[in-house]
Amino acid sequence: MKKAVLDPQGVAVENSLKALGYDQVRSVRVGKYIELTLEAPGREEAAARVEEMSRRLLSNPVIEDFSYTLQEDAV
Amino acid sequence: MKFGVIVFPGSNCDLDSYFLVRDILRQPVEYIYYYEESIKQCDAIILPGGFTYGDYLRSGAIARFSPVMSAVADFADRGGAVLGICNGFQVLTEAGLLPGALYRNDHLQFRCEQVYVRVENNSLPFTRSASLGKVLEIPVAHGDGNYYAPPELLREMKANNQVVFRYTDRDGNVTEGANPNGSVENIAGVCNREGNVVGMMPHPERAGEKILGSKHGLIIFKSIISYFLNREVV
């Protein structure tokens, strides 16, 4: 969720953590974690495809940001 | 005129919409399935409520890539009247045919109750029979109805009169208590720039008969019928 967008799940989890006594918690944001395996000739191509998929389907740019890390698997 | 009701896997208000148009309003109506690639001989299209594709990823995110959605976009481009109700509204925002986004209700609960919405723009094909400021009693039933548009977009939308409905109390006052989901500025429905595509979270198709508690939803459908009636005469 973008910083400017209220994250109702994050607030609920934050309140719950505080109820458990974790007073040091300042904020919680709940997001999605997606594991995706794809075939690509190289890192650059893989990054371009992941960027495109993230923009078109995996995230909604109105309310969400995305970031990704790539990890190479031996074929 | 003829209505078309889009059926996606997981739509569940398609039958309600179809029933209302055929049996209450006595107008021609047909189902249009998610895999169809064109829309023929329809004047107004309804994207019904439901849980398309299980609402996986985000509500409406997967449905918006159904083959029929290209046809809906073409239909909207040609000026066709498109109404998205609840999940249909979510599909239209995901598709970029309507501005903003809908996400989890601020209190995290699924809300199923009667609400009041005020007509903020009565110059549209879908609202022309309502007076400006008219308060309608219509039910909502959703978990992801929290409307959001970033401040700049919201300013632009208001300047262009794109806020169509706001949640209010019975007397038409915009209050925090009347907002069932945390939507920014109590927004319950919006339209595109041209005004031919409207999305709303409340269910007008579930407010078409006295036995259902309210007939206020009819005005949306009667508006569109009168719009086409007048156009045909001209």
Side-chain angles (χ1 to χ4, degrees):
Chain A
M1 301 291 287
K2 287 191 167 160
K3 283 271 184 302
V5 181
L6 174 85
D7 172 17
Q9 292 185 83
V11 172
V13 173
E14 181 184 335
N15 291 340
S16 187
L17 285 171
K18 284 183 175 158
L20 290 173
Y22 297 104
D23 299 326
Q24 57 278 73
V25 173
R26 286 294 164 265
S27 89
V28 178
R29 310 285 291 177
V30 174
K32 288 194 187 81
Y33 174 79
I34 298 172
E35 271 187 1
L36 192 150
T37 309
L38 81 161
E39 268 178 45
R43 286 187 86 84
E44 233 169 77
E45 292 87 344
R49 295 308 270 175
V50 169
E51 285 264 357
E52 187 187 315
M53 288 186 251
S54 302
R55 264 200 316 274
R56 291 187 68 199
L57 175 63
L58 302 180
S59 79
N60 180 335
V62 179
I63 47 171
E64 294 169 325
D65 289 321
F66 66 87
S67 63
Y68 58 90
T69 53
L70 296 175
Q71 187 185 318
E72 250 172 88
D73 264 356
V75 178
Chain B
M1 71 159 295
K2 190 175 183 187
F3 284 86
V5 177
I6 310 279
V7 183
F8 296 105
S11 293
N12 66 10
C13 299
D14 41 349
L15 223 108
D16 307 60
S17 303
Y18 189 90
F19 169 81
L20 181 104
V21 173
R22 190 190 62 184
D23 294 334
I24 310 291
L25 299 167
R26 307 208 171 274
Q27 297 292 318
V29 57
E30 68 172 24
Y31 288 124
I32 301 166
Y33 292 91
Y34 67 98
Y35 49 78
E36 294 188 34
E37 286 172 0
S38 65
I39 292 171
K40 294 179 201 93
Q41 292 163 345
C42 280
D43 302 298
I45 296 295
I46 299 169
L47 277 73
F51 300 85
T52 48
Y53 297 88
D55 275 352
Y56 295 144
L57 197 61
R58 290 178 312 280
S59 298
I62 297 178
R64 74 86 127 204
F65 288 106
S66 301
V68 78
M69 284 307 293
S70 306
V72 171
D74 288 344
F75 182 78
D77 273 352
R78 295 197 304 268
V82 180
L83 175 66
I85 301 167
C86 195
N87 193 225
F89 184 12
Q90 294 160 342
V91 174
L92 290 173
T93 57
E94 282 286 340
L97 292 172
L98 286 174
L102 292 145
Y103 72 110
R104 189 60 48 88
N105 292 350
D106 61 350
H107 43 68
L108 299 172
Q109 294 163 2
F110 189 95
R111 273 292 153 84
C112 186
E113 61 192 7
Q114 295 287 110
V115 300
Y116 296 95
V117 294
R118 193 176 73 193
V119 177
E120 306 284 78
N121 177 348
N122 70 338
S123 66
L124 307 169
F126 285 106
T127 57
R128 68 200 303 271
S129 298
S131 52
L132 192 63
K134 168 100 180 154
V135 178
L136 308 174
E137 184 185 354
I138 302 181
V140 290
H142 60 246
D144 293 337
N146 191 347
Y147 183 79
Y148 178 78
E152 196 177 318
L153 176 63
L154 197 57
R155 264 198 301 278
E156 199 181 298
M157 286 168 63
K158 286 194 284 191
N160 200 36
N161 211 7
Q162 286 176 259
V163 175
V164 184
F165 301 104
R166 277 199 168 87
Y167 300 108
T168 64
D169 63 16
R170 185 191 293 263
D171 302 316
N173 303 304
V174 173
T175 64
E176 209 181 316
N179 189 338
N181 49 35
S183 290
V184 63
E185 296 192 14
N186 281 42
I187 290 174
V190 302
C191 66
N192 63 346
R193 202 165 250 286
E194 295 73 21
N196 63 313
V197 181
V198 167
M200 60 192 298
M201 285 314 292
H203 286 271
E205 84 287 8
R206 295 191 196 174
E209 286 177 286
K210 208 171 164 204
I211 196 172
L212 296 177
S214 169
K215 293 168 76 171
H216 288 179
L218 286 180
I219 205 154
I220 311 287
F221 299 91
K222 286 184 171 165
S223 293
I224 194 73
I225 292 167
S226 99
Y227 172 76
F228 279 102
L229 223 58
N230 281 301
R231 216 173 63 161
E232 278 160 23
V233 170
V234 173

